[in-house]
Amino acid sequence: MRFVSLVLFLFGFAAFAQERGLSEPSHQAGEYFVQRAGVTWVYQMPKGGRARFSINAFVDWKASFTFTIGKRSGAGSWRVKEGAWLERTLSRGEGEMVVLPAVLKEGTRWKAPASLERGPGTTSQFEVMALNAVIDLPNGTRMGNCLAVLETRLDGSEPWIHYWAPNVGKIAVRGPDDWVMQLLQFTQARSHSE
């Protein structure tokens, strides 16, 4: 009986804290997942290089995408399952891997194959560093309320920070010494009625 009372008290307190804004802020992975065929991201890379990601199809809640990062290119799929943003691409390994877990709070951590930007062959550890980062992009746009995720090797070396903007997706990646990619152009597909 005491256990049941304690559980009910904790649920009641959690609801009260959330209602009053006392709980720790969090976001959902789906806030950063764009769900529309025809969306394209073009990024500036060092030394005049370009990267490009495009959603070619969106069927059964799965986005099929292609990418080019410098001289590397490939294809894969993204989807949200049980709140987590998952990716399947042979460039990162076999099977689905977590891009962003379902609930994102400062300090949230997970391990997965290295990001597409970093390249294949290793495992990285990821940690949410901020939910409200502000990024100035080379096209003059200032993006606020961005998610900042630190990616490192398992030994903590080679820090990279990935930035996502709500309803846009990934907007930038910063390596240990300089920007790896910064969003230049985000093109949303037009609906049939536009």
Side-chain angles (χ1 to χ4, degrees):
M1 182 66 176
R2 286 184 187 178
F3 177 74
V4 172
S5 296
L6 177 61
V7 169
L8 290 174
F9 171 77
L10 291 175
F11 278 123
F13 180 76
F16 171 80
Q18 187 173 17
E19 183 179 300
R20 299 284 189 267
L22 302 174
S23 62
E24 184 177 342
S26 67
H27 290 266
Q28 305 295 315
E31 295 175 43
Y32 307 97
F33 179 71
V34 177
Q35 305 176 31
R36 200 166 193 185
V39 173
T40 301
W41 298 261
V42 177
Y43 300 90
Q44 174 179 306
M45 296 176 64
K47 300 178 185 169
R50 294 278 192 263
R52 179 186 176 99
F53 286 73
S54 296
I55 296 178
N56 305 317
F58 192 81
V59 178
D60 295 330
W61 298 101
K62 185 186 294 185
S64 297
F65 70 93
T66 56
F67 70 91
T68 303
I69 302 173
K71 294 181 181 181
R72 291 186 306 121
S73 62
S77 65
W78 291 317
R79 70 181 179 133
V80 174
K81 181 180 178 184
E82 297 174 2
W85 180 351
L86 304 176
E87 178 177 278
R88 180 185 300 270
T89 175
L90 292 177
S91 297
R92 289 184 70 194
E94 292 187 29
E96 287 185 319
M97 57 232 45
V98 174
V99 174
L100 294 173
V103 178
L104 303 161
K105 296 180 179 183
E106 287 184 21
T108 300
R109 294 181 180 157
W110 68 99
K111 292 180 185 174
S115 64
L116 286 171
E117 297 84 8
R118 187 181 282 265
T122 62
T123 299
S124 291
Q125 56 189 6
F126 298 85
E127 180 178 354
V128 174
M129 303 303 292
L131 300 172
N132 58 355
V134 176
I135 303 296
D136 292 315
L137 298 172
N139 64 7
T141 303
R142 174 171 269 198
M143 302 293 286
N145 296 318
C146 295
L147 172 69
V149 174
L150 174 67
E151 175 185 7
T152 62
R153 302 285 186 207
L154 293 179
D155 65 3
S157 66
E158 299 182 45
W160 288 33
I161 302 177
H162 301 260
Y163 296 93
W164 281 271
N167 302 312
V168 175
K170 190 173 284 187
I171 60 166
V173 180
R174 183 164 180 88
D177 302 317
D178 199 2
W179 291 102
V180 176
M181 296 181 358
Q182 290 179 288
L183 187 65
L184 282 177
Q185 182 180 1
F186 173 66
T187 306
Q188 293 199 45
R190 294 183 174 207
S191 69
H192 297 294
S193 62
E194 293 180 43

